[in-house]
PDB file of all heavy atoms in Angstrom:
ATOM      1  N   PHE B 181     -24.912 -13.813 -24.316  1.00 96.00           N
ATOM      2  CA  PHE B 181     -24.573 -14.690 -23.188  1.00 96.00           C
ATOM      3  C   PHE B 181     -25.774 -15.554 -22.851  1.00 96.00           C
ATOM      4  O   PHE B 181     -26.890 -15.054 -22.720  1.00 96.00           O
ATOM      5  CB  PHE B 181     -24.232 -13.864 -21.941  1.00 96.00           C
ATOM      6  CG  PHE B 181     -23.014 -13.003 -22.089  1.00 96.00           C
ATOM      7  CD1 PHE B 181     -23.130 -11.683 -22.492  1.00 96.00           C
ATOM      8  CD2 PHE B 181     -21.748 -13.509 -21.812  1.00 96.00           C
ATOM      9  CE1 PHE B 181     -22.009 -10.880 -22.627  1.00 96.00           C
ATOM     10  CE2 PHE B 181     -20.628 -12.709 -21.945  1.00 96.00           C
ATOM     11  CZ  PHE B 181     -20.756 -11.388 -22.355  1.00 96.00           C
ATOM     12  N   SER B 182     -25.546 -16.845 -22.678  1.00 96.00           N
ATOM     13  CA  SER B 182     -26.562 -17.712 -22.091  1.00 96.00           C
ATOM     14  C   SER B 182     -26.074 -18.029 -20.696  1.00 96.00           C
ATOM     15  O   SER B 182     -24.961 -18.550 -20.525  1.00 96.00           O
ATOM     16  CB  SER B 182     -26.705 -19.009 -22.888  1.00 96.00           C
ATOM     17  OG  SER B 182     -27.121 -18.715 -24.198  1.00 96.00           O
ATOM     18  N   ILE B 183     -26.894 -17.694 -19.689  1.00 95.00           N
ATOM     19  CA  ILE B 183     -26.392 -17.809 -18.324  1.00 95.00           C
ATOM     20  C   ILE B 183     -27.392 -18.488 -17.397  1.00 95.00           C
ATOM     21  O   ILE B 183     -28.594 -18.532 -17.673  1.00 95.00           O
ATOM     22  CB  ILE B 183     -26.055 -16.418 -17.732  1.00 95.00           C
ATOM     23  CG1 ILE B 183     -27.296 -15.546 -17.650  1.00 95.00           C
ATOM     24  CG2 ILE B 183     -25.011 -15.706 -18.550  1.00 95.00           C
ATOM     25  CD1 ILE B 183     -27.079 -14.310 -16.815  1.00 95.00           C
ATOM     26  N   VAL B 184     -26.860 -19.026 -16.316  1.00 94.00           N
ATOM     27  CA  VAL B 184     -27.684 -19.472 -15.193  1.00 94.00           C
ATOM     28  C   VAL B 184     -27.169 -18.727 -13.985  1.00 94.00           C
ATOM     29  O   VAL B 184     -25.976 -18.812 -13.674  1.00 94.00           O
ATOM     30  CB  VAL B 184     -27.570 -20.988 -14.962  1.00 94.00           C
ATOM     31  CG1 VAL B 184     -28.165 -21.345 -13.606  1.00 94.00           C
ATOM     32  CG2 VAL B 184     -28.306 -21.754 -16.036  1.00 94.00           C
ATOM     33  N   GLY B 185     -28.060 -17.975 -13.340  1.00 92.00           N
ATOM     34  CA  GLY B 185     -27.602 -17.119 -12.253  1.00 92.00           C
ATOM     35  C   GLY B 185     -26.616 -16.123 -12.824  1.00 92.00           C
ATOM     36  O   GLY B 185     -26.947 -15.386 -13.744  1.00 92.00           O
ATOM     37  N   GLU B 186     -25.409 -16.132 -12.294  1.00 92.00           N
ATOM     38  CA  GLU B 186     -24.394 -15.222 -12.830  1.00 92.00           C
ATOM     39  C   GLU B 186     -23.378 -15.943 -13.702  1.00 92.00           C
ATOM     40  O   GLU B 186     -22.446 -15.340 -14.205  1.00 92.00           O
ATOM     41  CB  GLU B 186     -23.654 -14.536 -11.668  1.00 92.00           C
ATOM     42  CG  GLU B 186     -24.432 -13.387 -11.073  1.00 92.00           C
ATOM     43  CD  GLU B 186     -23.513 -12.353 -10.463  1.00 92.00           C
ATOM     44  OE1 GLU B 186     -22.782 -12.696  -9.524  1.00 92.00           O
ATOM     45  OE2 GLU B 186     -23.535 -11.217 -10.941  1.00 92.00           O
ATOM     46  N   ARG B 187     -23.511 -17.249 -13.821  1.00 95.00           N
ATOM     47  CA  ARG B 187     -22.478 -18.027 -14.493  1.00 95.00           C
ATOM     48  C   ARG B 187     -22.742 -18.139 -16.002  1.00 95.00           C
ATOM     49  O   ARG B 187     -23.870 -18.385 -16.420  1.00 95.00           O
ATOM     50  CB  ARG B 187     -22.396 -19.419 -13.860  1.00 95.00           C
ATOM     51  CG  ARG B 187     -21.015 -20.034 -13.940  1.00 95.00           C
ATOM     52  CD  ARG B 187     -20.778 -21.044 -12.832  1.00 95.00           C
ATOM     53  NE  ARG B 187     -20.607 -20.421 -11.537  1.00 95.00           N
ATOM     54  CZ  ARG B 187     -19.480 -19.864 -11.115  1.00 95.00           C
ATOM     55  NH1 ARG B 187     -18.413 -19.852 -11.858  1.00 95.00           N
ATOM     56  NH2 ARG B 187     -19.418 -19.305  -9.915  1.00 95.00           N
ATOM     57  N   VAL B 188     -21.703 -17.955 -16.781  1.00 96.00           N
ATOM     58  CA  VAL B 188     -21.839 -18.019 -18.236  1.00 96.00           C
ATOM     59  C   VAL B 188     -21.808 -19.481 -18.683  1.00 96.00           C
ATOM     60  O   VAL B 188     -20.848 -20.200 -18.415  1.00 96.00           O
ATOM     61  CB  VAL B 188     -20.693 -17.247 -18.928  1.00 96.00           C
ATOM     62  CG1 VAL B 188     -20.801 -17.367 -20.439  1.00 96.00           C
ATOM     63  CG2 VAL B 188     -20.694 -15.786 -18.495  1.00 96.00           C
ATOM     64  N   LEU B 189     -22.886 -19.915 -19.364  1.00 95.00           N
ATOM     65  CA  LEU B 189     -22.914 -21.269 -19.925  1.00 95.00           C
ATOM     66  C   LEU B 189     -22.360 -21.251 -21.342  1.00 95.00           C
ATOM     67  O   LEU B 189     -21.761 -22.211 -21.802  1.00 95.00           O
ATOM     68  CB  LEU B 189     -24.352 -21.789 -19.973  1.00 95.00           C
ATOM     69  CG  LEU B 189     -25.033 -22.089 -18.646  1.00 95.00           C
ATOM     70  CD1 LEU B 189     -26.446 -22.570 -18.895  1.00 95.00           C
ATOM     71  CD2 LEU B 189     -24.255 -23.151 -17.875  1.00 95.00           C
ATOM     72  N   ARG B 190     -22.661 -20.168 -22.025  1.00 96.00           N
ATOM     73  CA  ARG B 190     -22.207 -20.064 -23.404  1.00 96.00           C
ATOM     74  C   ARG B 190     -22.148 -18.598 -23.803  1.00 96.00           C
ATOM     75  O   ARG B 190     -22.968 -17.802 -23.371  1.00 96.00           O
ATOM     76  CB  ARG B 190     -23.198 -20.787 -24.334  1.00 96.00           C
ATOM     77  CG  ARG B 190     -22.792 -20.740 -25.790  1.00 96.00           C
ATOM     78  CD  ARG B 190     -23.853 -21.362 -26.694  1.00 96.00           C
ATOM     79  NE  ARG B 190     -23.590 -20.991 -28.077  1.00 96.00           N
ATOM     80  CZ  ARG B 190     -22.702 -21.601 -28.871  1.00 96.00           C
ATOM     81  NH1 ARG B 190     -22.046 -22.636 -28.432  1.00 96.00           N
ATOM     82  NH2 ARG B 190     -22.498 -21.177 -30.105  1.00 96.00           N
ATOM     83  N   LEU B 191     -21.131 -18.291 -24.589  1.00 96.00           N
ATOM     84  CA  LEU B 191     -21.052 -16.956 -25.179  1.00 96.00           C
ATOM     85  C   LEU B 191     -20.980 -17.141 -26.681  1.00 96.00           C
ATOM     86  O   LEU B 191     -20.220 -17.974 -27.167  1.00 96.00           O
ATOM     87  CB  LEU B 191     -19.790 -16.221 -24.695  1.00 96.00           C
ATOM     88  CG  LEU B 191     -19.347 -15.019 -25.544  1.00 96.00           C
ATOM     89  CD1 LEU B 191     -20.386 -13.920 -25.542  1.00 96.00           C
ATOM     90  CD2 LEU B 191     -18.014 -14.472 -25.039  1.00 96.00           C
ATOM     91  N   GLU B 192     -21.802 -16.402 -27.397  1.00 97.00           N
ATOM     92  CA  GLU B 192     -21.704 -16.445 -28.848  1.00 97.00           C
ATOM     93  C   GLU B 192     -21.557 -15.021 -29.375  1.00 97.00           C
ATOM     94  O   GLU B 192     -22.270 -14.118 -28.946  1.00 97.00           O
ATOM     95  CB  GLU B 192     -22.930 -17.115 -29.468  1.00 97.00           C
ATOM     96  CG  GLU B 192     -22.731 -17.354 -30.957  1.00 97.00           C
ATOM     97  CD  GLU B 192     -23.816 -18.202 -31.597  1.00 97.00           C
ATOM     98  OE1 GLU B 192     -24.728 -18.666 -30.886  1.00 97.00           O
ATOM     99  OE2 GLU B 192     -23.759 -18.383 -32.837  1.00 97.00           O
ATOM    100  N   GLN B 193     -20.605 -14.849 -30.283  1.00 96.00           N
ATOM    101  CA  GLN B 193     -20.363 -13.518 -30.826  1.00 96.00           C
ATOM    102  C   GLN B 193     -21.042 -13.363 -32.181  1.00 96.00           C
ATOM    103  O   GLN B 193     -21.147 -14.313 -32.947  1.00 96.00           O
ATOM    104  CB  GLN B 193     -18.849 -13.291 -31.016  1.00 96.00           C
ATOM    105  CG  GLN B 193     -18.060 -13.331 -29.732  1.00 96.00           C
ATOM    106  CD  GLN B 193     -16.646 -13.854 -29.942  1.00 96.00           C
ATOM    107  OE1 GLN B 193     -16.255 -14.227 -31.037  1.00 96.00           O
ATOM    108  NE2 GLN B 193     -15.881 -13.902 -28.861  1.00 96.00           N
ATOM    109  N   ARG B 194     -21.477 -12.140 -32.449  1.00 95.00           N
ATOM    110  CA  ARG B 194     -21.914 -11.780 -33.796  1.00 95.00           C
ATOM    111  C   ARG B 194     -21.121 -10.537 -34.146  1.00 95.00           C
ATOM    112  O   ARG B 194     -21.302  -9.487 -33.528  1.00 95.00           O
ATOM    113  CB  ARG B 194     -23.419 -11.472 -33.797  1.00 95.00           C
ATOM    114  CG  ARG B 194     -23.935 -10.979 -35.145  1.00 95.00           C
ATOM    115  CD  ARG B 194     -24.102 -12.159 -36.099  1.00 95.00           C
ATOM    116  NE  ARG B 194     -24.523 -11.739 -37.428  1.00 95.00           N
ATOM    117  CZ  ARG B 194     -23.711 -11.742 -38.493  1.00 95.00           C
ATOM    118  NH1 ARG B 194     -22.456 -12.108 -38.365  1.00 95.00           N
ATOM    119  NH2 ARG B 194     -24.153 -11.386 -39.678  1.00 95.00           N
ATOM    120  N   LEU B 195     -20.205 -10.667 -35.112  1.00 96.00           N
ATOM    121  CA  LEU B 195     -19.364  -9.534 -35.480  1.00 96.00           C
ATOM    122  C   LEU B 195     -19.685  -9.105 -36.921  1.00 96.00           C
ATOM    123  O   LEU B 195     -20.618  -9.596 -37.518  1.00 96.00           O
ATOM    124  CB  LEU B 195     -17.882  -9.910 -35.327  1.00 96.00           C
ATOM    125  CG  LEU B 195     -17.461 -10.331 -33.910  1.00 96.00           C
ATOM    126  CD1 LEU B 195     -16.009 -10.777 -33.899  1.00 96.00           C
ATOM    127  CD2 LEU B 195     -17.676  -9.208 -32.912  1.00 96.00           C
ATOM    128  N   GLY B 196     -18.911  -8.170 -37.411  1.00 95.00           N
ATOM    129  CA  GLY B 196     -19.123  -7.694 -38.786  1.00 95.00           C
ATOM    130  C   GLY B 196     -19.817  -6.339 -38.843  1.00 95.00           C
ATOM    131  O   GLY B 196     -20.050  -5.809 -39.927  1.00 95.00           O
ATOM    132  N   TRP B 197     -20.111  -5.763 -37.692  1.00 95.00           N
ATOM    133  CA  TRP B 197     -20.853  -4.487 -37.663  1.00 95.00           C
ATOM    134  C   TRP B 197     -20.073  -3.366 -38.328  1.00 95.00           C
ATOM    135  O   TRP B 197     -20.651  -2.460 -38.902  1.00 95.00           O
ATOM    136  CB  TRP B 197     -21.171  -4.097 -36.204  1.00 95.00           C
ATOM    137  CG  TRP B 197     -21.956  -5.149 -35.516  1.00 95.00           C
ATOM    138  CD1 TRP B 197     -21.477  -6.221 -34.816  1.00 95.00           C
ATOM    139  CD2 TRP B 197     -23.379  -5.282 -35.508  1.00 95.00           C
ATOM    140  NE1 TRP B 197     -22.520  -7.006 -34.371  1.00 95.00           N
ATOM    141  CE2 TRP B 197     -23.691  -6.446 -34.780  1.00 95.00           C
ATOM    142  CE3 TRP B 197     -24.427  -4.527 -36.052  1.00 95.00           C
ATOM    143  CZ2 TRP B 197     -24.993  -6.884 -34.569  1.00 95.00           C
ATOM    144  CZ3 TRP B 197     -25.728  -4.951 -35.835  1.00 95.00           C
ATOM    145  CH2 TRP B 197     -26.009  -6.119 -35.109  1.00 95.00           C
TER     146      TRP B 197
END
Side-chain angles (χ1 to χ4, degrees):
Chain B
F181 296 94
S182 298
I183 62 168
V184 167
E186 281 208 298
R187 209 154 288 280
V188 177
L189 291 179
R190 181 185 165 82
L191 162 63
E192 189 171 357
Q193 297 149 358
R194 175 78 183 107
L195 300 176
W197 302 89

